[in-house]
Amino acid sequence: MCTEGDVTELGEFLKACRTRLGPRTVGLPESGTPRRVPGLRREEVAQLVGISTHSYARLEQGRAAVPRTVLVTLARVLHLDDAQRDHLFELAAGAARGPRRRPAQKAHPQLRRLLNELSTSPALVIGRHLDILAWNPLAAAVLTDFGTVPAKKRNYARLMFTDPAFRELCLDWRTNARTCVTHLRLEAARYPGDPGLAALVGELSVADADFRQWWAGRQMNGLRTGTKRLRHPLVGDLTLDWDSLTCTADPAQKLLIATADPGTPSHDGLLLLASWTADPNQPAGDAAA
């Protein structure tokens, strides 16, 4: 049985997707009759997918299991890109699973050991809700001193949307911030009814108009590895390539690592910051601290 939250997520996403399409876009003839609301009607989507209008209505309401073949066809009919298609699959799977209680997270010991070994590359351990579970000294020097942030507030999305210094640091702030929204949207699909995530989304919706608009718009950015440009107050502009490694023991934890091409000003900047923060007796920071 789906919860009300699951129905809202799946149904609202599908409604938003069909609202963005017109009959001509999907090869249907224009009727000439004015539409009360923009986009495709339920019955038109059902016709294109090859199911009854009643079945599609139940799908939007979260009242029916959705075969993968129908999801694949639906993604094609709605012209979903890869990120949107993956999100649709996660929403359908999350609705089937229903809400689950999850234990508190701590950075996995192996990831913490890796952090301690990475002396010239900024690295973070990111958990559920984009919580920052651990970091190395260079990550603190490049991004922000996470140790000064209260443990319950150490969250990458929260910093991105509510910390003016963090916003000023990111030269591609809008792209980075929208990627945070996509991460949270996918997590909402995987774990419907998560009270911690609901609280974070509510907080950021109140705090920032961009977050509120992007969350309501249900648009998805791709979650590819990529380049981030930062304007650091001490070493100037940095162009860093970020990648992530998923923890096998806890797939909800990821190790994010930033690197720069050797010989570039960005690499020199990282080495300079690393020399300032070098302390063999200083372990990686921990969200439990």
Side-chain angles (χ1 to χ4, degrees):
M1 177 68 69
C2 301
T3 69
E4 183 178 351
D6 306 335
V7 174
T8 299
E9 282 295 313
L10 179 58
E12 289 299 323
F13 178 69
L14 289 173
K15 182 178 179 181
C17 291
R18 63 182 172 86
T19 297
R20 290 194 290 265
L21 298 173
R24 185 176 299 176
T25 306
V26 295
L28 292 176
E30 296 278 2
S31 65
T33 304
R35 292 176 177 247
R36 292 180 299 169
V37 294
L40 296 175
R41 301 185 178 100
R42 280 180 172 178
E43 55 267 28
E44 291 170 331
V45 175
Q47 175 188 341
L48 292 166
V49 174
I51 59 178
S52 69
T53 302
H54 177 69
S55 295
Y56 180 75
R58 285 174 56 83
L59 190 157
E60 278 201 4
Q61 294 162 4
R63 294 166 49 206
V66 190
R68 187 172 180 85
T69 53
V70 172
L71 290 175
V72 170
T73 304
L74 187 56
R76 184 175 65 252
V77 165
L78 294 177
H79 293 199
L80 303 188
D81 60 25
D82 290 346
Q84 291 169 329
R85 183 194 60 204
D86 292 345
H87 185 52
L88 173 63
F89 292 164
E90 289 289 353
L91 282 173
R97 285 193 300 264
R100 293 186 295 174
R101 185 177 182 83
R102 295 187 289 169
Q105 278 185 303
K106 290 185 178 180
H108 192 272
Q110 187 171 351
L111 295 186
R112 288 185 53 77
R113 288 197 296 271
L114 284 171
L115 283 179
N116 288 326
E117 294 294 329
L118 294 169
S119 59
T120 60
S121 295
L124 303 167
V125 178
I126 299 292
R128 295 191 298 264
H129 314 159
L130 294 180
D131 288 340
I132 299 166
L133 303 181
W135 61 93
N136 66 1
L138 189 51
V142 170
L143 296 172
T144 192
D145 186 355
F146 299 108
T148 65
V149 181
K152 292 184 177 180
K153 296 292 184 180
R154 287 184 197 135
N155 178 276
Y156 197 84
R158 182 182 284 111
L159 289 169
M160 184 69 70
F161 283 98
T162 67
D163 186 327
F166 209 84
R167 183 183 294 238
E168 187 175 350
L169 176 72
C170 299
L171 293 177
D172 300 318
W173 180 85
R174 291 182 69 84
T175 299
N176 298 160
R178 290 184 72 110
T179 299
C180 286
V181 174
T182 296
H183 272 283
L184 296 179
R185 176 67 68 191
L186 288 171
E187 189 163 351
R190 294 187 187 108
Y191 301 100
D194 186 315
L197 180 58
L200 177 64
V201 169
E203 174 190 341
L204 297 182
S205 295
V206 170
D208 188 87
D210 285 322
F211 181 91
R212 185 165 59 248
Q213 176 184 352
W214 295 335
W215 186 264
R218 299 179 176 274
Q219 295 179 357
M220 306 288 293
N221 273 20
L223 298 179
R224 300 180 299 273
T225 58
T227 300
K228 294 186 186 297
R229 298 186 306 124
L230 307 175
R231 177 151 293 163
H232 196 276
L234 298 179
V235 297
D237 290 1
L238 298 172
T239 300
L240 304 178
D241 296 319
W242 288 84
D243 207 338
S244 64
L245 303 173
T246 300
C247 179
T248 303
D250 181 0
Q253 295 189 35
K254 288 181 171 53
L255 178 66
L256 270 61
I257 308 171
T259 58
D261 285 334
T264 62
S266 296
H267 188 257
D268 294 341
L270 287 183
L271 293 179
L272 183 58
L273 287 173
S275 69
W276 292 342
T277 60
D279 182 352
N281 298 317
Q282 181 182 5
D286 194 305

